[in-house]
């Protein structure tokens, strides 16, 4: 026996091992053989029964000599990513093999893996997770599996389809642990798994399964863990739970149904007396906690994890939840729960480690000297009401890793004892969106484990504090920090990824000391009063993806060193005093740019033709400068303005407590004539804004190929020629401003087809002719067309030639009488039509929302009502028609 696992052994695996001809156990796993070839000689150690070379980073081709190890019972080659597995046929010679682990290798070329497994009659444990397996089921093997002893099967994180299910059928009596998570299983196939009655653990998360839990699951008497998370399950949750009534109620320990489309009220789980983990998060559950759950909560005395995060539950949280004495995780965040929670809710929760009540309308009221019976690791209370004083009961919480009490109504200073908590392992801290005030101490020696801090939107003042060297993300925005800007140089260590100091009172020159932060990806200094030149050291931040210097007093030219920041996606330099030509190197080097804001500076010259290379551009704002020349015709190279956008196009969201370094990209966008700040939906916009410059020439026809453009603003320039005839192709356009130019000619008729257009300004041009008729343009105010004296037709008051109404001849008495009858007929007809529609719509809609007995009664009522209305209308219509015909004759 030779066990050297985890000893950090490096170099080549020496063939001197061949001298150990009687060796039957060899474990070299978890060492440092990275980049060394696979030891083919191992196949000559014919007495081996156990061989593990896992997690070594070996390279080269797998030695088929391993097939000579005829006595081998356990083989583990997991996590050798660069070893080539072209075929697994050699495995079929290992007839005594019971345990086979190949997890984390690339088996795409090994299309024979199913046939090989069928030839291993003693195989009990098969681990092929994350092997890039495809579902290739030969017809002759579809229902054949010779490995009837197979008990543990892990095929998770592959590309298997539902066709794998028949292949498992012959192992249905032996399988104990089955993991098919993160594959491509589809449809309503759950019933097939319900017949595998020997299963203890069934993991089917991250697939595309549909429907609900079938009744066959109620008979899975050995099932302990069931994970159906992240599928497309739908229907009422109570019905799925009723389908599980049976012997599974006594065995089930863990039920994971998060991230589906299940709806209905929270069902009665008290029948599942052994359940310890219950996760129903990210569904569409509504209502409140059932009465039976509140009254008999002690029947769930084994419950350790209760997670119903992000549903639609309302009502109060019962004090009986405090009877769950074994509870370790309680997560009811992002619901609509309300009411007051006090010490009584937590009286017996001495084992509680994670508490999430965030994003509810809960009020937490505790006595001043309350000492919680628990020591938490995770505490999320965002948007609950804790204020106005800082919670004293946190004083004994020395085990916190994550603390989020953002937006909790606290308007107090942070007490000194908080910064001096002993034995604290705090890694993530969120105190944002409150009215907390005061100065912060030097934090570089506090909370040595902290990696993420969000203190934004408070009233902290004084100089910038320093933070521990391992800090990854800092958000100190929207406060009143001031003092020397040199503090930025030592605010944290080289691990910093995200730094947001926007909306403070920082002033002076930005120091040229950013080189140590070479891993910085997000830097936001907007809305301060920095002045002077932009420092050249910004060019050393090669990982930079977001740079926001908006609304400062920076002057001079952009430093040429910025061209090195080739990963930049978001660049906002607006509202400064930058001058000079727009640098052409932006279009040559910053090819990843998606959002570029240069408005309200002193830039001059023309728009560089190199800008047409920025094919990922989604928002381009060059407004309010002194830019001249023509609009480049090559803007149709902006392929991102032709394709539909997604919210995932750019990092958005405040500092993520679970993902340090996640950052908000905030941008002010002129939208429909007004300025708005956008965050979450920024990635959906496609905008070009060149307003307030000195551009000349015509609007290029090529701009009409940007099919996803939602806003176009070319106002306040010297553009001539006509509006592009194909502007109607911009079907997504919601805002169009061409005012204050010298455009001439008619308004293209295709403009009337812009059905999403809600803001239009064509004023003060030289447009002429009739405004196109349609359902859109006539809805705008006449001011949208002001200053175009030759325009006519609605909505302007100037009528077009031929639009004057023809005088109507005076009617004689007989005609007047006939018209009276006709008008009366029409009035009765349309009145009856409106009554019929109203009764039908509201009657049916209301009935569908009520009880079954109410629905039956309503449908009977509707039948009778409709008969009555129909008779009345028919009689009245016949009478009026008779009168009308008599008068005409």
């Amino acid at each position: 026996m030779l066990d050297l696992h985890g000893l950090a052994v490096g170099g080549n695996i020496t063939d001197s091992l061949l001298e150990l001809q009687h060796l039957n156990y060899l474990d070299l796993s978890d060492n440092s053989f990275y980049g060394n070839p696979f030891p083919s000689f191992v196949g000559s150690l014919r007495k081996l029964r156990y061989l593990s070379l896992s997690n070594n980073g070996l390279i080269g081709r797998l030695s088929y000599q391993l097939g000579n190890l005829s006595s081998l019972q356990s083989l583990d080659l997991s996590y050798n990513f660069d070893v080539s597995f072209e075929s697994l046929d050699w495995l079929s010679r290992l007839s005594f093999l019971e345990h086979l682990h190949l997890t984390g290798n690339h088996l795409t070329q090994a299309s024979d893996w199913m046939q090989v497994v069928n030839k291993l009659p003693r195989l009990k444990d098969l681990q092929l997770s994350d092997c890039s397996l495809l579902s290739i089921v030969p017809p002759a093997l579809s229902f054949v599996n010779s490995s009837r002893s197979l008990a543990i099967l892990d095929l998770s994180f592959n590309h298997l389809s539902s066709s794998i299910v028949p292949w498992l059928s012959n192992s249905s009596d032996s399988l104990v642990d089955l993991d098919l998570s993160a594959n491509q299983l589809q449809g309503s196939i759950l019933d097939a798994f319900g017949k595998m009655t020997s299963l203890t653990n069934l993991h089917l998360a991250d697939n595309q399964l549909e429907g609900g839990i079938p009744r066959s699951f109620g008979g899975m008497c050995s099932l302990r863990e069931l994970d159906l998370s992240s599928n497309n399950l739908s229907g009422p949750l109570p019905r799925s739970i009723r389908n599980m009534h049976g012997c599974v109620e006594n065995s089930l320990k863990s039920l994971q149904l998060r991230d589906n489309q299940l709806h209905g009220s929270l069902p009665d789980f008290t029948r599942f007396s052994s359940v310890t983990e219950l996760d129903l998060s990210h569904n569409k559950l509504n209502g409140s906690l059932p009465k039976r759950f509140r009254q008999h909560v002690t029947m769930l005395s084994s419950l350790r994890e209760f997670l119903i995060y992000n549903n639609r539950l309302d009502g109060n949280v019962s004090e009986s939840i405090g009877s769950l004495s074994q509870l370790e995780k309680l997560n009811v965040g992002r619901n609509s729960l309300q009411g007051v929670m006090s010490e009584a809710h937590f009286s017996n929760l001495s084992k509680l480690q994670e508490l999430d009540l965030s994003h509810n309308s809960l009020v937490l009221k505790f006595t001043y000297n309350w000492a919680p019976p628990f020591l938490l690791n995770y505490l999320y209370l965002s948007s609950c009401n804790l204020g106005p004083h800082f919670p004293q009961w946190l004083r004994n919480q020395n085990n916190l890793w994550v603390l989020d009490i953002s937006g909790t109504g606290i308007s107090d200073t942070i007490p000194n004892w908080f910064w001096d908590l002993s034995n604290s392992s705090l890694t993530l801290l969120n105190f944002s969106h409150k009215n907390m005030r005061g100065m912060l101490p030097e934090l570089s020696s506090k909370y040595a484990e902290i990696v993420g801090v969000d203190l934004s939107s408070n009233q902290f003042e004084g100089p910038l504090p320093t933070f521990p060297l391992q800090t990854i993300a800092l958000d100190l925005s929207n406060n009143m920090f001031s003092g020397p800007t040199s503090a930025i140089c030592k605010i944290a260590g080289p691990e910093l990824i995200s730094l947001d100091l926007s909306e403070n009172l920082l002033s002076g020159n930005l120091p040229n000391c950013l080189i140590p932060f070479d891993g910085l990806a997000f830097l936001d200094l907007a809305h301060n009063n920095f002045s002077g030149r932009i420092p050249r050291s910004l060019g050393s931040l090669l990982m930079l993806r977001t740079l926001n210097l908006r609304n400062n007093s920076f002057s001079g030219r952009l430093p040429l060193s910025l061209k090195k920041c080739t990963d930049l996606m978001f660049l906002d330099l607006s509202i400064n005093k930058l001058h000079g030509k727009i640098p052409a190197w932006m279009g040559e080097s910053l090819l990843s740019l998606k959002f570029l804001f240069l408005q309200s500076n002193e830039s001059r010259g023309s728009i560089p033709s190199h800008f047409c290379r920025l094919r990922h551009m989604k928002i381009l704002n060059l407004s309010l400068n002194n830019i001249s020349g023509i609009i480049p015709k090559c803007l149709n190279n902006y392929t991102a303005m032709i394709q539909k956008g997604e919210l995932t196009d750019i990092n958005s969201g405040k500092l993520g407590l679970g993902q340090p370094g996640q950052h908000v990209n905030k941008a002010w966008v002129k939208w429909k004539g007004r300025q708005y700040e956008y965050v979450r939906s920024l990635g959906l916009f496609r905008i070009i804004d060149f307003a307030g410059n000195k551009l000349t020439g015509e609007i290029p026809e090529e701009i009409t190929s940007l099919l996803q453009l939602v806003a176009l603003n070319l106002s306040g320039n010297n553009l001539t020629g006509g509006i592009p005839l194909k502007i109607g192709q911009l079907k997504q356009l919601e805002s169009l401003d061409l005012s204050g130019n010298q455009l001439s000619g008619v308004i293209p008729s295709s403009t009337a087809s812009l059905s999403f257009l809600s803001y239009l300004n064509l004023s003060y041009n030289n447009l002429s002719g009739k405004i196109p008729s349609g359902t859109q343009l006539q809805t705008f105010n006449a001011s949208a067309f002001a200053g175009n004296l030759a325009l006519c037709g609605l909505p302007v008051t100037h009528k077009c030639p031929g639009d004057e109404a023809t005088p109507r001849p005076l009617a004689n008495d007989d005609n007047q009488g006939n018209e009276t009858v006709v008008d009366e007929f029409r009035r009765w007809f349309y009145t009856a039509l409106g009554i019929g529609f109203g009764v039908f719509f509201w009657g049916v809609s209301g009935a569908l929302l009520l009880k079954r007995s109410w629905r039956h009664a309503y449908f009977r009522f509707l039948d009778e009502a409709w008969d009555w209305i129909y008779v009345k209308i028919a009689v009245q219509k016949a009478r009026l028609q008779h009168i009308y015909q008599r008068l005409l004759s």
Side-chain angles (χ1 to χ4, degrees), residues 205 467 638 648 730:
F467 292 84
Y638 291 167
T648 54
L730 303 179

Side-chain angles (χ1 to χ4, degrees), residues 334-354:
R334 290 196 180 274
N335 281 283
S336 299
L337 300 173
Q338 55 194 9
V340 177
M341 295 187 71
S342 63
E343 295 98 316
H345 290 81
F346 305 99
S347 57
N348 295 315
L349 304 184
S350 59
K351 297 184 178 181
L352 197 63
Q353 299 175 17
E354 179 177 331

Side-chain angles (χ1 to χ4, degrees), residues 641-653:
M641 293 192 182
I642 301 174
Q643 303 165 353
K644 290 185 177 181
E646 299 178 358
L647 289 175
T648 54
D649 283 338
I650 192 163
N651 289 342
S652 62

